[in-house]
Amino acid sequence: MPVPAAGGAGRVASKADILISLRGVTKTFGQGPTAFQALKGVDMDVRKGDFIAVMGPSGSGKSTTMNILGCLDVPTAGQFLFRGFAIETLDRDQRALLRRRYLGFVFQGFNLLARTTALENVELPLLYRGEDRATRHRMGMAALDKVGLADWWDHTPAELSGGQQQRVAIARAIVTQPDVLLADEPTGNLDSERSVEIMELLTDLNRQSGITVLMVTHEPDMAAFAHTVVHFKDGLVDRVEANHRPGVVPALN
Amino acid sequence: MQMFLTTLVLALREIRRHILRSFLTILGIVIGVSAVVTMVTLGNGATAAVKEQISSLGTNILQVRPGQGFGRGGGGATPPNFDLDDVAAIRGQVAGVRAVAAQAQSSGTAIRNAANWSTTINGTTADYFDVQPWPLTSGRVFTRAEEQAGKAVCIIGSTVYDNLFRGEEAVGERFRIRDLSCQVIGVLSKRGQSGFGGDQDDVVIMPLKAVQRRFTGNREIRLMLVGTDPAYDTAAIQSSLQSLLRERRRINGGKEDDFNIFDTKQISDTLTGTTTILTRIVTAVAGISLLVGGIGIMNIMLVSVTERTREIGIRLAIGAVAREVLLQFLVEAVALACLGGILGLILGFVASISIAPLMKAPFIFDPQINLIAFGFSALIGVVFGYFPARRAASLNPIDALRHE
């Protein structure tokens, strides 16, 4: 499915390996005297195949940025290029189609459908892509296998541990083979052992499947798995750190 | 089409997942549809039963009785009964009359061996069987000669036969009724209850003269049955019959008739009209319950949208467009309503097939009302499902995901 292009949005010359680029992105909530400017001009580039951890205190604008990057929200002003397309000009349905085709989401609270088997949860995005039953089953099982839960396909979330639920959520996010995986505090509800397992899984997906990972986290231990750590402060990118030894957790050394 | 199939799969899964809630949601529709179907089916049955019972009184028959109304006198002197001259006059002077049977009634206990049975004695002429066909199971009706002579022969109804003869051969046998020994010459076929609850088969039919001479002790006739030719207008026959009787009974000018002419067809129309109106009223009430059932669906769907806000958020986040969410909830509501409709039809079918015998009415399956009731339940799904579905589709994915 091609990226739905709105009128006026055209391909903009960019470096080949830049997947996402934000330029002067602002976001204001509300109007008049109660208006609150959450983003004050964010500039940010995401390279294809990168593993980025987004950090910052609450209210720093990192969640708003993630919502915009996830095409769940639109910037008030500024430019958002995804694969060279100007996303800020897309309407609601076009953004939904973009999410369906290119993005995968993992949430802190897992957000699996209750009373629904792991396989059915994983198959859900394929259902919206109109895949037939056999294809859904095959791709769903492959995704579950990737997260090491192929044997648990017929279990409902209530029958799975937190770590397993998050793995199912990751399987759901990658089943469509997205370009970008957006993870919003994926280890926030897990103990440190499970957290490390999830981070290792994300690292594997990043390395082996070439999925670009964007992750919000509060924990430096988890951020240490990323190649790049972007720090937010007061609605702006404060600083960008490159991590040359990703996966080596300082606390464990 | 692909999108529709997808949403249908999702909707059916959702219904299966919340089987109890789904059932409670559609309970209103189930009851509404079954009530409508049951009421209409039973109403049709009742109408058919009334028609059937009235037609067992005979079609194309005018009943002529002295007095006004049902058996009540005009207030003053009791109006005189008719006699055989009246019968002859009607037969000879009114156009469109096929046959006229006179009737004199009495009652008494019939005794045979150890069995005795209290019954109605009906004295009449051979015309009786021309006016209203009443087949015999065995034997024959009486001849003109037996009628003229007032012989003690009788034709018995099936109830009398059952009580006196209990399956034995009756024709040629004798039994005693009020001191008169009479010979059975025929047995009537079963006719069942009359429209007014009486047992029509509990009767002994004898020649008019025998009854007059032996039981009533006069030459009076209490009832004339006038068989009319279907080719003639009943109203015209009725009015010439009326003027003839007024003349014979010397009723002049503005004075009221001291007799009444009762048209079975007219009574049949009136009674079936009444049952039809009653059926409509009850159906309308049942229809209201169907509407209330629809509001129930809307109520639950609205609650369900709120309850499933997070789920909607997940669906939107992983790439469902608003249309698909709208369609999913709409299809869910319609599927629920249709499911309710089907269950309602089944329940209505079972209810009417089991209640109809209790009402002594036939079960008549009416495909039209089944179709209408089902179509209406589907329509209710669309109408009452649309509002909650639109609300679900308009949710903002970020807010929906944050919803606790």
Side-chain angles (χ1 to χ4, degrees):
Chain A
M1 188 180 296
V3 175
R11 198 167 267 280
V12 179
S14 63
K15 277 200 257 172
D17 59 345
I18 297 286
L19 187 63
I20 296 169
S21 125
L22 299 182
R23 286 291 172 270
V25 166
T26 66
K27 180 70 187 180
T28 308
F29 294 105
Q31 281 177 339
T34 57
F36 166 70
Q37 194 172 29
L39 298 183
K40 297 169 180 166
V42 170
D43 295 325
M44 186 175 165
D45 285 322
V46 177
R47 282 167 207 281
K48 202 167 185 325
D50 210 346
F51 187 158
I52 296 179
V54 175
M55 297 189 79
S58 48
S60 63
K62 62 182 190 308
S63 289
T64 308
T65 306
M66 285 296 272
N67 284 340
I68 289 171
L69 289 173
C71 299
L72 292 168
D73 208 349
V74 281
T76 306
Q79 197 182 35
F80 171 18
L81 293 178
F82 179 82
R83 296 176 135 226
F85 284 95
I87 303 304
E88 70 271 15
T89 59
L90 300 184
D91 69 18
R92 207 186 129 125
D93 280 356
Q94 286 171 320
R95 279 184 281 124
L97 293 174
L98 191 94
R99 290 197 294 272
R100 180 186 295 187
R101 177 68 184 84
Y102 295 106
L103 306 179
F105 289 87
V106 176
F107 307 94
Q108 179 179 359
F110 320 140
N111 278 343
L112 298 174
L113 297 188
R115 275 174 282 187
T116 306
T117 66
L119 183 61
E120 279 179 332
N121 264 295
V122 173
E123 283 181 353
L124 198 61
L126 300 173
L127 208 56
Y128 286 112
R129 276 173 53 159
E131 303 290 355
D132 62 49
R133 202 186 160 89
T135 311
R136 286 204 309 266
H137 190 82
R138 183 172 48 74
M139 293 175 76
M141 284 308 288
L144 276 175
D145 191 42
K146 244 180 197 168
V147 300
L149 285 179
D151 294 339
W152 297 76
W153 67 270
D154 60 343
H155 289 247
T156 62
E159 298 162 357
L160 297 170
S161 71
Q164 286 173 320
Q165 288 187 53
Q166 193 60 301
R167 282 163 182 274
V168 172
I170 290 169
R172 180 180 65 191
I174 61 167
V175 73
T176 55
Q177 289 151 356
D179 285 2
V180 182
L181 185 68
L182 293 125
D184 190 1
E185 300 196 38
T187 59
N189 286 7
L190 300 174
D191 61 37
S192 55
E193 203 176 324
R194 305 286 154 245
S195 295
V196 169
E197 281 175 23
I198 293 295
M199 291 317 299
E200 282 168 353
L201 177 59
L202 291 179
T203 303
D204 279 356
L205 291 170
N206 174 249
R207 271 195 206 141
Q208 282 158 24
S209 309
I211 298 174
T212 306
V213 179
L214 272 162
M215 174 184 75
V216 171
T217 184
H218 279 302
E219 300 158 273
D221 293 0
M222 300 304 132
F225 283 88
H227 305 163
T228 312
V229 183
V230 177
H231 292 271
F232 272 75
K233 195 178 172 187
D234 299 331
L236 287 168
V237 174
D238 187 38
R239 61 200 158 90
V240 179
E241 279 179 289
N243 181 3
H244 299 294
R245 293 176 63 201
V248 180
V249 184
L252 294 182
N253 285 353
Chain B
M1 191 59 210
Q2 177 61 52
M3 191 164 104
F4 180 74
L5 281 178
T6 305
T7 49
L8 189 64
V9 169
L10 288 174
L12 291 178
R13 265 189 203 172
E14 201 53 46
I15 291 169
R16 198 191 53 199
R17 208 163 280 145
H18 303 101
I19 194 80
L20 179 67
R21 186 179 71 186
S22 302
F23 175 72
L24 292 175
T25 306
I26 62 175
L27 201 56
I29 294 268
V30 174
I31 291 171
V33 167
S34 64
V36 167
V37 170
T38 309
M39 289 311 141
V40 171
T41 307
L42 290 180
N44 287 347
T47 307
V50 167
K51 269 190 185 149
E52 163 81 23
Q53 285 168 353
I54 298 287
S55 74
S56 77
L57 288 177
T59 45
N60 300 313
I61 294 173
L62 300 175
Q63 299 186 354
V64 187
R65 283 189 175 84
Q68 274 294 329
F70 289 94
R72 195 178 60 86
T78 312
N81 286 324
F82 306 109
D83 55 30
L84 276 175
D85 293 341
D86 292 316
V87 174
I90 292 168
R91 196 183 284 140
Q93 295 174 39
V94 179
V97 168
R98 276 189 299 114
V100 183
Q103 213 172 297
Q105 265 189 356
S106 184
S107 61
T109 306
I111 303 162
R112 178 177 176 266
N113 300 337
N116 66 75
W117 183 252
S118 203
T119 186
T120 304
I121 304 162
N122 188 353
T124 189
T125 51
D127 290 283
Y128 184 78
F129 299 96
D130 293 335
V131 171
Q132 46 179 2
W134 192 348
L136 300 175
T137 53
S138 61
R140 57 175 180 87
V141 303
F142 38 76
T143 61
R144 286 282 171 204
E146 283 166 337
E147 180 194 320
Q148 293 299 325
K151 271 190 78 175
V153 290
C154 58
I155 301 158
I156 57 175
S158 65
T159 303
V160 175
Y161 171 79
D162 289 344
N163 284 288
L164 290 190
F165 293 94
R166 300 197 169 94
E168 292 169 35
E169 179 57 51
V171 176
E173 293 295 312
R174 303 187 82 89
F175 68 92
R176 283 189 322 122
I177 185 157
R178 277 178 68 176
D179 299 334
L180 175 70
S181 170
C182 95
Q183 186 185 19
V184 178
I185 57 167
V187 179
L188 291 159
S189 61
K190 196 170 175 63
R191 221 182 212 186
Q193 297 229 311
S194 78
F196 311 100
D199 180 0
Q200 299 184 88
D201 300 313
D202 187 7
V203 71
V204 171
I205 296 175
M206 295 174 74
L208 177 68
K209 280 184 179 160
V211 172
Q212 285 178 336
R213 209 156 47 214
R214 307 298 291 262
F215 304 138
T216 63
N218 56 40
R219 295 175 161 253
E220 289 177 349
I221 292 164
R222 292 269 304 279
L223 170 66
M224 290 188 289
L225 298 172
V226 180
T228 58
D229 187 334
Y232 285 74
D233 179 24
T234 317
I237 298 171
Q238 206 170 332
S239 89
S240 56
L241 183 57
Q242 188 186 14
S243 18
L244 174 70
L245 285 173
R246 281 179 75 92
E247 195 185 306
R248 289 184 63 81
R249 293 162 83 88
R250 298 192 178 78
I251 304 165
N252 303 318
K255 275 176 80 180
E256 274 188 39
D257 295 348
D258 64 352
F259 59 91
N260 73 78
I261 302 167
F262 177 93
D263 182 358
T264 51
K265 187 176 178 309
Q266 196 184 326
I267 226 54
S268 159
D269 289 350
T270 309
L271 284 180
T272 54
T274 308
T275 55
T276 306
I277 289 168
L278 281 175
T279 304
R280 282 190 192 145
I281 292 170
V282 179
T283 306
V285 173
I288 291 169
S289 78
L290 186 52
L291 198 70
V292 172
I295 294 169
I297 283 204
M298 178 161 78
N299 189 12
I300 301 286
M301 288 305 288
L302 275 174
V303 170
S304 154
V305 167
T306 309
E307 192 190 43
R308 288 158 65 189
T309 300
R310 258 170 104 84
E311 177 203 317
I312 295 163
I314 297 167
R315 290 182 189 279
L316 290 169
I318 64 173
V321 294
R323 245 186 357 263
E324 285 166 328
V325 173
L326 180 120
L327 203 61
Q328 184 196 335
F329 277 79
L330 194 58
V331 166
E332 217 174 294
V334 175
L336 275 174
C338 288
L339 206 65
I342 291 169
L343 288 180
L345 291 188
I346 295 171
L347 189 66
F349 181 82
V350 172
S352 32
I353 215 165
S354 41
I355 295 174
L358 301 179
M359 286 175 56
K360 297 194 189 325
F363 170 78
I364 302 166
F365 183 76
D366 182 351
Q368 200 187 348
I369 191 62
N370 280 272
L371 237 101
I372 290 173
F374 179 74
F376 195 65
S377 66
L379 184 73
I380 273 177
V382 174
V383 172
F384 291 112
Y386 181 75
F387 181 59
R390 212 189 51 186
R391 205 165 107 165
S394 65
L395 286 174
N396 175 341
I398 299 168
D399 296 338
L401 280 170
R402 222 175 268 150
H403 185 88
E404 289 305 321

